[in-house]
Amino acid sequence: METFSIDAVTIVAKTWIREMVWLESTGSTNDAAKQLLESDQVEIPLLVITSNQTSGRGQRGNVWWSDQGSLTFSVVFDGDLIKTPGLISFAAAIAVSRAIQAENAALDPKLKWPNDIYLANRKIAGILIESFIKRGRRLFVVGIGINVNCNLLMAPPLIQRTAISLNDALHRPLEIERLLIQLLNQLQQNLHRVNPLPDELIGDYAANSLFDESARLTVRLANGQSKIGQFCGFSRQGLLRMKSGSEIWETSTGHIESPTNTQ
């Protein structure tokens, strides 16, 4: 699959992004974004994008595989006004889902807490959110990887079995710049809903969850322990809510191990 390019003038004109940096190749767009922010010359919101990410990172230190034709980028924005950071992943996941549906309304992406998007029970996108303080200013970096026009036959065997691309789903290549513009504008709208309308945002996320409420799930917690329980939705802070026996517990970090296999 050939590499693609994105026009910075078009992105700045049609989205909330104030500066775009295109990299022919980079290890991680999140890392590249943080390095760029060491200079006071870049403007925020900042978009860092590449057609060749060689060392992408996922949750729990996993490697995010991408190939030419994948859409991999990071958005940096000011987070001082975001009162519930745990909902940023909800805002980003819904943005990815709706950008995919804008390409074809028949597609039905599902959201796997905390940061994965599935299509036809296969992983199509992932999100990595990081935050840091720069000169007293809180910044968030939202990294997103989507299998758009990539050739999954080039992927490792496990990913071939568990992932899907939009090209596979629609049997045609997609215009990546159009998809990106749709996604960025949806992300902006969703971030504006984090503070005043968290219940609406959480409701949208829950309505498109990969799991129905009452599903029995195995969750591996950050400390390495696994707990089995009944899925009970999400809290107003974006925490996963589970029930084990008479106990209802919540977690902000973890990995749902079953009933679905992941990339």
Side-chain angles (χ1 to χ4, degrees):
M1 189 69 64
E2 295 182 358
T3 60
F4 63 91
S5 61
I6 302 292
D7 181 56
V9 174
T10 300
I11 294 299
V12 171
K14 293 187 175 182
T15 74
W16 59 308
I17 298 299
R18 297 187 62 182
E19 181 173 353
M20 188 194 101
V21 175
W22 169 266
L23 301 172
E24 289 295 334
S25 179
T26 189
S28 159
T29 56
N30 269 29
D31 291 344
K34 289 184 284 186
Q35 290 173 2
L36 287 165
L37 289 167
E38 293 178 3
S39 165
D40 290 327
Q41 302 304 312
V42 295
E43 293 192 76
I44 296 173
L46 168 70
L47 171 68
V48 180
I49 185 169
T50 184
S51 63
N52 184 28
Q53 180 172 257
T54 58
S55 303
R57 293 182 286 111
Q59 294 297 313
R60 307 173 307 280
N62 290 341
V63 173
W64 173 262
W65 176 87
S66 62
D67 191 24
Q68 294 177 358
S70 299
L71 174 56
T72 50
F73 66 94
S74 296
V75 178
V76 182
F77 58 90
D78 194 324
D80 282 340
L81 298 180
I82 301 234
K83 298 176 182 177
T84 315
L87 294 181
I88 293 176
S89 64
F90 285 38
I94 293 169
V96 173
S97 175
R98 291 189 175 170
I100 289 172
Q101 288 179 310
E103 293 294 332
N104 188 314
L107 297 178
D108 187 22
K110 295 297 183 182
L111 311 179
K112 183 185 179 189
W113 181 93
N115 295 306
D116 293 334
I117 298 90
Y118 277 69
L119 188 65
N121 289 318
R122 289 173 173 256
K123 187 170 176 179
I124 194 166
I127 300 164
L128 178 65
I129 299 173
E130 299 176 291
S131 67
F132 59 98
I133 305 295
K134 178 178 171 60
R135 294 183 174 85
R137 184 183 186 187
R138 188 177 194 185
L139 300 176
F140 285 95
V141 183
V142 177
I144 297 177
I146 308 175
N147 301 326
V148 183
N149 293 329
C150 50
N151 182 2
L152 289 173
L153 292 177
M154 303 298 293
L158 175 61
I159 295 177
Q160 290 185 35
R161 294 193 299 270
T162 59
I164 191 173
S165 71
L166 271 174
N167 182 46
D168 290 336
L170 296 176
H171 308 292
R172 61 175 173 84
L174 285 88
E175 183 183 330
I176 291 182
E177 186 173 272
R178 180 183 65 208
L179 178 72
L180 176 63
I181 289 171
Q182 171 72 27
L183 194 160
L184 290 171
N185 287 331
Q186 184 65 53
L187 176 60
Q188 181 188 29
Q189 292 177 32
N190 292 345
L191 289 172
H192 284 162
R193 294 197 293 162
V194 167
N195 291 342
L197 299 169
D199 292 335
E200 178 186 284
L201 187 71
I202 294 166
D204 282 352
Y205 189 93
N208 293 281
S209 172
L210 185 62
F211 308 111
D212 295 329
E213 287 206 26
S214 78
R216 288 189 63 77
L217 306 176
T218 300
V219 180
R220 182 172 291 276
L221 304 176
N223 62 9
Q225 295 181 340
S226 292
K227 294 186 71 172
I228 298 174
Q230 176 183 321
F231 172 52
C232 297
F234 309 98
S235 75
R236 297 185 89 244
Q237 290 72 42
L239 279 63
L240 177 71
R241 302 185 76 244
M242 298 286 293
K243 183 177 182 181
S244 300
S246 60
E247 173 197 10
I248 293 182
W249 51 276
E250 300 177 341
T251 180
S252 62
T253 58
H255 171 59
I256 298 174
E257 295 186 318
S258 65
T260 299
N261 296 324
T262 63
Q263 179 178 336

